Amino acid sequence: MTILDMGHLLLVLLLVEMQSVSVLLQIQRFMLFACLLMHSLLQVSYTSWFLDAFNYAIATNMDVLNLSIGGPDYLDLPFVEKVWEITANNIIMVSAIGNDGPLYGTLNNPADQSDVIGVGGIDYSDHIASFSSRGMSTWEIPHGYGRVKPDVVAYGREIMGSKISTGCKSLSGTSVASPVVAGVVCLLVSVIPESSRQDILNPASMKQALVEGAAKLSGPNMYEQGAGRVDLLESFEILKNYQPRASIFPGVLDYTDCPYSWPFCRQPLYAGAMPVIFNATILNGMGVIGYVKSPPMWHPSNDEGNLLSIHFAYSEVIWPWTGYLALHMQIKEEGSQFSGEIEGNVTLQVYSPPQGEKSPRISTCVLHLKLKVVPTPLRSKRILWDQFHSIKYPPGYIPRDSLDVRNDILDWHGDHLHTNFHIMFNMLRDAGYHVETLGSPLTCFDANQYGTLLMVDLEDEYFEEEIEKLRDDVINTGLGLAVFAEWYNVDTMVKMRFFDDNTRSWWTPVTGGANVPALNELLAPFGIAFGDKILNGDFSIDGEQSRYASGTDIARFPKDGFVHSFPFLDSSESGATQNVLLTSGMTKADSPILGLLDVGKGRIAVYGDSNCLDSSHMVTNCYWLLRKILDYTSGNIRDSVLFADSVKKNAALYVEDHQLPSRRTDVNFSTYSAVVGKELVCRSDSRYEIWGTKGYNLDLGKRGNRRLPVFDLGRGLNSTFDNSNLGRLKPSMKNKSELDMPVPVASHWLVPAVVAVTGLLLLLSFWRIRQKRRRRRKGSGSGRLTNL
């Protein structure tokens, strides 16, 4: 008996106790379909199978559908659009959020869709289960912000269910929690008289009842628990007297409600900052389609509330059942010294076509805000995080950062301050830093406002204007620059190519752990470049033990800079990408990995590995190093160990151009890039005054009269640096059908295992064996990539 059969047994017992014969028939139909669907999931699943199953659900007029499967590919449009069609046909879909916890940014599709009820798991102590995936959703970044998911949580650890033979057994997973909520939904359906079900019952009204009736747990934040633990009785009371209406979820953003309102409650607003974006979901229980009647309005509770400026982005058409309301919040310049709280409501009117009435259905949604505001911090305490140049899965095959991790080949957790870098974000806040996010090009921020631009694990290219502006920002404006790179080796990427049995096409990485050729072009004006080594090993600085996990080396660095080198293994030539990287035939050699340099008025720090900041597959953290780097780049505070005379370079590091990493010529990078073939424009995550422009343009005439530093690059004194061989990426002119990386489809969620040390592809059968073992370990149903 599958896990869904176990849920069937639980629900039948509940329904018999409630003596609801009509609902029992409905739940039996729902579970029959679920078991049918589960049968198709016992092996590799194809999108077409799901489409056929969903069509069957629509044709048979099902009411509730549970889906205990999922994967990270939210761009599989045939699948996603069919889910929209399912819910548009008034079928309430409940889906497991995923078993990739405790990592953040690991929500699975379709549970991360706003029209689906996404379910996370808790234990009997009301603690979030360690395996339960965390939000936020990543659909809307980098230019927007994720949604709150899961919607609700339910018991999913050590739940008793029936065995195939006889008796019971204990099972865990969000696959277990999801059918329990589906059963709750079916019970709630029974409280609505059949005569009025058609007018009242729909996916939005059911989600409203669940999230508004849920019990908020103390301890977990909104991206761990959503609205909280599902509460059958409270949701029953809401539905019993329900009248079709629209609402906003979450309905409150309260900076004083910590930790539930994390990360917002961790950092107050202040004047001059990048907009703080809060992205809420509009639930329209009045009809499958709705319209926003007029722009949202901000209603402050007192005069201080006028210091808050909000720009809104929202769904003018709400379909099916849901839309979005994004708030871009800034404190006006006159509030630069204000300290206190701002409170008020945002209102939004939604209307839907009449359904039997003579006039449209109209409802006013309310979002309550309670915000904390502080005076604008010192420049040295303000850090700007570059989100714009991070490419995330599923647009492209971005390989993991640590090649020693063999069970997760994709870098798919969003690479965001509030997903896989959330621990680092909390550390920076504890250290007194204020961290802002830039989701637009580097021309879209005023360098005078920030102590350091923090660039971590970036995969995209750079506009020429960005390179010019950053050069000026560092040399003449005194901006600090901290870069954490990653491995980049073309031979290794080629060996990571694999055949996807589902799409019948080859997959190849579009870049390495980071786009080192692009970073080298960005850093070329400062005489700095990374190499193509893949280094691994343990090292110590000032008693702090750290692991260097598939990081790169520093290939160029000017004289008089401070460079730290350590003996590491270089696995780039061996092609070791899958098994333990230490082999008998490999020897350690000193490799430079950390460099610090004064450049004009600014300061630069570069480090070749970001794994120590990323919560996903971290071996050891290097937060201590990040703090020391930021002390230097932002405040010119020099740690005695990092700036010891023994590591000061009397001669520049320099390698010839042909020895630097080169871009791949067999991948059409413009397919995945926000830069290549795109227009330079500042978007809504930058300051209001430059929206829709190219940003803060350089005054080239004035800059031309400034005295710029001269770097000794190892080819004689006062030599100039020729970066012509690092030229801009020239995208291939291939047709889309000829792209090396196919357009993402649902079957990408079933990625086979990648290459072994020898560079040979592992057989698909090995991958299936591993998945079966994983299923046995987690006690979960099979999924498209992950078992939930």
Side-chain angles (χ1 to χ4, degrees), residues 131-171:
F131 55 75
S132 186
S133 290
R134 273 71 165 168
M136 58 181 177
S137 66
T138 57
W139 287 62
E140 285 117 334
I141 59 176
H143 294 304
Y145 193 79
R147 313 278 190 97
V148 174
K149 280 278 185 172
D151 296 298
V152 291
V153 291
Y155 296 120
R157 182 183 286 282
E158 297 178 356
I159 306 299
M160 295 305 296
S162 59
K163 294 173 65 175
I164 291 179
S165 55
T166 181
C168 299
K169 69 174 182 178
S170 174
L171 293 168

Side-chain angles (χ1 to χ4, degrees), residues 36-88:
L36 233 172
L37 181 59
M38 200 64 183
H39 178 72
S40 73
L41 294 174
L42 293 178
Q43 296 181 2
V44 175
S45 305
Y46 295 87
T47 296
S48 60
W49 297 357
F50 284 92
L51 302 185
D52 289 342
F54 291 157
N55 284 332
Y56 176 79
I58 295 171
T60 54
N61 295 316
M62 289 190 178
D63 296 311
V64 181
L65 171 62
N66 181 73
L67 210 61
S68 285
I69 61 95
D73 188 352
Y74 53 78
L75 290 186
D76 171 24
L77 290 184
F79 183 88
V80 168
E81 290 177 351
K82 184 58 71 170
V83 170
W84 291 341
E85 186 181 348
I86 281 274
T87 57

Side-chain angles (χ1 to χ4, degrees), residues 509-570:
V510 301
T511 183
N515 190 342
V516 168
L519 283 175
N520 284 349
E521 193 171 81
L522 184 74
L523 296 171
F526 312 115
I528 300 172
F530 292 105
D532 65 354
K533 293 182 179 180
I534 302 178
L535 304 175
N536 295 271
D538 299 313
F539 69 100
S540 174
I541 297 180
D542 196 22
E544 293 282 356
Q545 296 292 328
S546 294
R547 172 75 179 175
Y548 206 69
S550 303
T552 190
D553 63 313
I554 298 174
R556 285 178 174 170
F557 209 78
K559 176 186 174 182
D560 294 330
F562 295 80
V563 178
H564 294 257
S565 301
F566 299 94
F568 291 129
L569 295 172
D570 177 13

Side-chain angles (χ1 to χ4, degrees), residues 172 407 770 772-780:
S172 298
N407 62 351
R770 180 173 65 81
K772 290 178 181 177
R773 289 175 179 170
R774 190 177 181 191
R775 285 197 292 273
R776 288 195 292 269
R777 183 170 67 251
K778 292 190 176 184
S780 304

Side-chain angles (χ1 to χ4, degrees), residues 723-772:
N723 65 347
S724 58
N725 291 330
L726 295 176
R728 300 295 295 165
L729 176 69
K730 296 180 180 178
S732 165
M733 298 305 292
K734 296 180 184 178
N735 293 324
K736 192 171 185 180
S737 60
E738 300 172 345
L739 295 182
D740 201 70
M741 173 69 179
V743 176
V745 293
S747 50
H748 287 196
W749 302 357
L750 292 165
V751 181
V754 292
V755 293
V757 172
T758 59
L760 298 175
L761 300 176
L762 291 178
L763 296 176
L764 182 60
S765 59
F766 288 152
W767 177 81
R768 290 174 174 168
I769 290 172
R770 180 173 65 81
Q771 292 295 82
K772 290 178 181 177

Side-chain angles (χ1 to χ4, degrees), residues 32 40 155 293 383 385 506 513 575 625 779:
L32 174 62
S40 73
Y155 296 120
K293 189 174 183 180
I383 307 299
W385 169 269
W506 287 94
L625 177 60

